[in-house]
């Protein structure tokens, strides 16, 4: 009853704020403390941008678990085990309840699919259990099994528990896979809750957050021996990060089932991320640990000789363009750039004069594109006139906030394995407009964490941590010119207006590059102010045509976005769990 009363009060508060004059609401939004309080209150009441209440989420998760159990039963009936047995190695942690961990393994030991269980304990305590061995460190496992490393090794932490049939699922991992990992959850009042539904292998997210830290299977143990011994690996998260840095071609599989109840390692996270940071420093990165967010902020050195061509298309709207270009000229610390302002049939006299005046600056070149509006064609045209090694696509309604934006984004884009680099874009009131693109939203694509508060950590810290997405928006996008040309630029024939940036990023990804959302860089973005909304019949028809092209061209990615999870909703951009109805709705074919 009390909970219902609170919800009614919050609804009344939301209604009251909604009827305030727009100027008053804008003034209130400038106060971050008030905005924080308001959005957190909405979230707790289940009213935060459509985010379900805690009770609803619990219902959704129980249904997901049932759905998972049905799939697992089917898989176990159909697929044969790839190995007869595996070993389990338990890492020490801040959790002390090792007995619960061992108890969850006993069932598997009795079925003979677990050969031995190893527990890392420097004191080498003996638990008096058959097939349970204590060893001093991870390296000791290899000396204990020096002649037999052909068996998979499952890694968990003390305090974690395996669920029924977890080991059977791991044993069905294809032998060609080097490492496999699963999703995890927690237990609250004897009920499974708070699942961590991970993306498929996301190397940069591992470097910044250490998101994988339990439920990891080493399928080919022998290939990791030298690395583990040489680097004195002490945690699962560290192993995942360092193994990829040293062996970037290892095959990593995400098993999209919740197979481990994982105790959070908050006390050890800083230590783990710091050690990952030290390895990154050895290969030339600059790393700082962000205490409040508990993430690694990673930047990469830039070559000051690299010329960056900043492309800004526009038609009229001189106020926006002046604000955009002046913010670049006055706030950008990296100075080796040129600005290509592309005028697409401006007919406002003030705008024409303004653009000519801006072009008097030696850093600004005015290009004329006297053809019908086609966002893809305009940008391709500008790239052909660009002198830079790196291209920066910037919308005319973007405003620079921080002076090191180009240093940070350029450093990421110059990494040999990175293609497109995007940034965090904010509405004028501080809410998130873009923090990476997720395929499948609305049947096409949408922006991750849209409308979340600027300071919010996001799901799995994915708002505050730089990591990989299949696509980022071209409202602010950096890419090397050579990669742009190799990918064939933007598709001006089929995607003149919408989804051209998504299509381009997917083509870059197809070439073997990872795309990256750079959480450390923020811009203000007054989205689509200059273009307006697609409300006419003609614009609506064009949008649907371009959506249909995207769905056909990239059907597999829309059905399975590697940076998302199949049990997360596609109805809203808030990383909520799928509802029961959505879970049972067939996907687009």
């Amino acid at each position: 009853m009390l909970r219902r009363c609170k919800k009614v009060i919050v609804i009344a508060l939301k209604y009251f704020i909604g009827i305030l004059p727009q100027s008053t609401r804008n003034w209130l939004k400038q106060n971050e403390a008030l905005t924080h309080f308001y959005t957190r209150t909405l979230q707790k009441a289940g009213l935060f941008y459509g985010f379900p209440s805690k009770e609803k989420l619990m219902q959704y998760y129980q249904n997901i678990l049932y759905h998972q159990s049905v799939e697992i039963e089917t898989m176990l009936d159909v697929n044969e085990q790839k190995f007869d047995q595996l070993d389990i190695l338990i890492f020490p942690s801040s959790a002390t309840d090792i007995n619960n961990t061992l108890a969850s393994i006993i069932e598997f030991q009795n079925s003979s699919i677990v050969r031995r269980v190893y527990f890392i304990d420097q004191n080498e305590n003996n638990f008096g259990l058959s097939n349970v061995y204590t060893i001093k460190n991870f390296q000791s496992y290899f000396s204990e099994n020096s002649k037999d490393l052909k068996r998979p090794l499952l890694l968990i932490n003390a305090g974690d528990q395996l669920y029924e049939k977890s080991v059977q699922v791991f044993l069905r991992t294809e032998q060609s896979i080097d490492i496999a990992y699963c999703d995890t959850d927690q237990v609250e009042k004897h009920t499974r809750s708070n699942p961590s539904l991970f993306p498929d292998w996301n190397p940069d997210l591992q470097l910044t957050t250490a998101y994988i830290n339990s439920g990891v299977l080493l399928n080919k143990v022998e290939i990791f021996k030298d690395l583990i011994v040489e680097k004195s690996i002490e945690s699962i998260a560290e192993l995942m990060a360092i193994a990829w840095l040293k062996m970037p071609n290892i095959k990593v599989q995400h098993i999209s089932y919740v197979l481990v109840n994982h105790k959070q390692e908050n006390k050890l996270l800083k230590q783990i991320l710091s050690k990952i940071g030290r390895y990154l420093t050895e290969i030339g990165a600059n790393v700082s640990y962000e205490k409040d967010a508990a993430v690694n902020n990673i930047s990469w050195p830039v070559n000051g000789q690299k010329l960056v061509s900043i492309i800004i298309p526009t038609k009229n709207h001189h106020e926006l363009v002046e604000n955009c270009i002046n913010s670049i000229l006055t706030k950008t610390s990296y100075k080796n750039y040129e600005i290509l302002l592309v005028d697409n049939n401006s007919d406002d006299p003030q705008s024409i004069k303004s653009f000519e005046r801006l072009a008097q600056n030696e850093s600004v070149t005015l290009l004329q594109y006297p053809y019908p509006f086609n966002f893809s064609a305009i940008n391709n045209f500008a790239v052909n006139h660009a002198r830079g090694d790196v291209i920066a696509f910037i919308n005319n309604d973007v405003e620079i906030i921080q002076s090191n934006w180009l240093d940070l984004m350029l450093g990421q884009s110059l990494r040999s394995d990175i293609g497109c680099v995007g940034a965090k874009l904010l509405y004028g009131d501080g809410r998130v407009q873009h923090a990476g693109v997720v395929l499948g939203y609305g049947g096409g694509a949408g922006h991750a964490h849209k409308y979340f508060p600027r300071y919010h950590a996001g799901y799995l810290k994915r708002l505050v941590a730089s990591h990989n997405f299949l696509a980022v928006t071209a409202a602010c996008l950096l890419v090397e010119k050579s990669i742009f040309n190799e990918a064939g630029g933007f598709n001006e024939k089929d995607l003149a207006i919408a989804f051209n940036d998504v299509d381009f990023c997917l083509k870059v990804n197809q070439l073997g590059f990872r795309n990256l959302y750079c959480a450390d860089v923020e811009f203000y973005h007054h989205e689509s102010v200059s273009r307006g909304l697609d409300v006419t019949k003609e614009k609506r028809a064009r949008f649907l045509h371009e959506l249909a092209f995207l769905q056909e061209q990239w059907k597999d990615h829309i059905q399975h976005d590697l940076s998302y999870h199949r049990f997360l909703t596609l109805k809203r951009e808030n990383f909520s769990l799928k509802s029961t109805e959505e879970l049972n709705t067939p996907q687009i074919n």
Side-chain angles (χ1 to χ4, degrees), residues 434-499:
H434 167 271
V437 170
V438 172
L439 278 295
Y441 283 148
H447 291 174
H449 292 108
K450 192 173 183 178
Y451 302 129
F452 271 57
R454 175 182 185 178
Y455 50 80
H456 203 288
Y459 187 71
L460 301 178
K461 303 180 187 176
R462 293 183 64 176
L463 254 179
V464 294
S466 297
H467 64 286
N468 308 117
F469 277 92
L470 284 178
V472 292
T473 179
C476 180
L477 184 155
L478 258 70
V479 64
E480 290 191 71
K481 188 176 182 180
S482 59
I483 296 176
F484 180 88
N485 290 331
E486 187 179 357
F490 291 109
N491 185 341
E492 53 191 76
K493 176 179 177 291
D494 302 295
L495 299 171
I497 312 298
F499 303 119

Side-chain angles (χ1 to χ4, degrees), residues 208 286 288 290 293 295-300 401-406 408-409 412 421-424 454 462-467 516-523:
T208 53
N286 300 308
S288 62
E290 175 58 46
V295 298
N296 276 339
N297 289 334
I298 304 168
S299 61
W300 299 84
I401 296 177
Q402 58 198 92
S403 61
N404 64 343
W405 71 275
L406 191 48
L408 293 174
M409 295 184 72
Q412 295 282 8
V421 177
K424 181 188 292 184
R454 175 182 185 178
R462 293 183 64 176
L463 254 179
V464 294
S466 297
H467 64 286
L516 183 124
Y517 155 66
C518 185
D520 306 323
V521 176
E522 296 179 331
F523 297 88

Side-chain angles (χ1 to χ4, degrees), residues 306-310 338 386-392 406 409-410 413-414 477-482:
K306 292 286 185 181
L307 177 64
V308 180
S309 297
I310 302 173
E338 63 171 355
R387 297 184 295 114
D389 301 301
V390 178
I391 307 297
L406 191 48
M409 295 184 72
L410 179 60
S413 71
L414 293 178
L477 184 155
L478 258 70
V479 64
E480 290 191 71
K481 188 176 182 180
S482 59

Side-chain angles (χ1 to χ4, degrees), residues 57-85:
L57 284 174
M58 193 72 82
Q59 292 176 18
Y60 293 167
Y61 186 45
Q62 298 312 308
N63 189 59
I64 286 171
L65 288 175
Y66 173 75
H67 190 90
Q68 170 180 298
S69 67
V70 172
E71 287 189 0
I72 287 177
E73 287 294 344
T74 303
M75 180 189 69
L76 296 181
D77 287 342
V78 174
N79 296 340
E80 295 183 356
Q81 288 184 191
K82 308 303 178 183
F83 295 88
D84 294 329
Q85 289 182 316

Side-chain angles (χ1 to χ4, degrees), residues 247-381:
M247 300 180 287
N249 294 321
I250 57 172
K251 296 180 180 179
V252 183
Q253 178 186 348
H254 171 216
I255 301 171
S256 59
Y257 293 127
V258 182
L259 302 179
V260 173
N261 165 230
H262 178 45
K263 302 295 183 183
Q264 295 300 304
E265 291 293 320
N266 295 331
K267 293 181 180 179
L268 300 179
L269 182 59
K270 180 180 179 180
Q271 175 184 330
I272 291 169
L273 286 172
S274 295
K275 196 164 184 183
I276 292 173
R278 288 199 292 274
Y279 287 119
L280 287 167
T281 302
E282 289 177 6
I283 60 174
N286 300 308
V287 184
S288 62
Y289 177 74
E290 175 58 46
K291 180 180 179 182
D292 292 338
V295 298
N296 276 339
N297 289 334
I298 304 168
S299 61
W300 299 84
V302 298
N303 182 350
Q305 301 304 310
K306 292 286 185 181
L307 177 64
V308 180
S309 297
I310 302 173
I311 294 172
I312 305 173
T314 193
K315 177 180 179 179
N316 299 322
H317 294 284
H318 66 91
E319 300 96 337
L320 288 173
V321 175
E322 289 169 4
N323 183 56
C324 176
I325 290 182
N326 287 332
S327 70
I328 295 172
L329 294 172
T330 59
K331 294 182 180 179
T332 304
S333 57
Y334 187 91
K335 298 303 182 184
N336 195 13
Y337 63 84
E338 63 171 355
I339 298 174
L340 303 181
L341 177 59
V342 190
D343 183 1
N344 179 213
N345 295 321
S346 290
D347 51 15
D348 169 40
Q350 280 188 293
S351 293
I352 293 171
K353 288 181 181 178
S354 171
F355 301 158
E356 291 174 348
R357 187 166 56 250
L358 287 168
Q360 293 176 8
N361 188 298
E362 61 181 10
S363 297
V364 181
T365 299
L366 180 62
L367 300 176
Q368 297 294 333
Y369 185 82
Y371 307 104
F373 177 69
N374 180 319
F375 184 82
S376 295
I378 292 170
N379 280 299
N380 290 341
F381 164 80

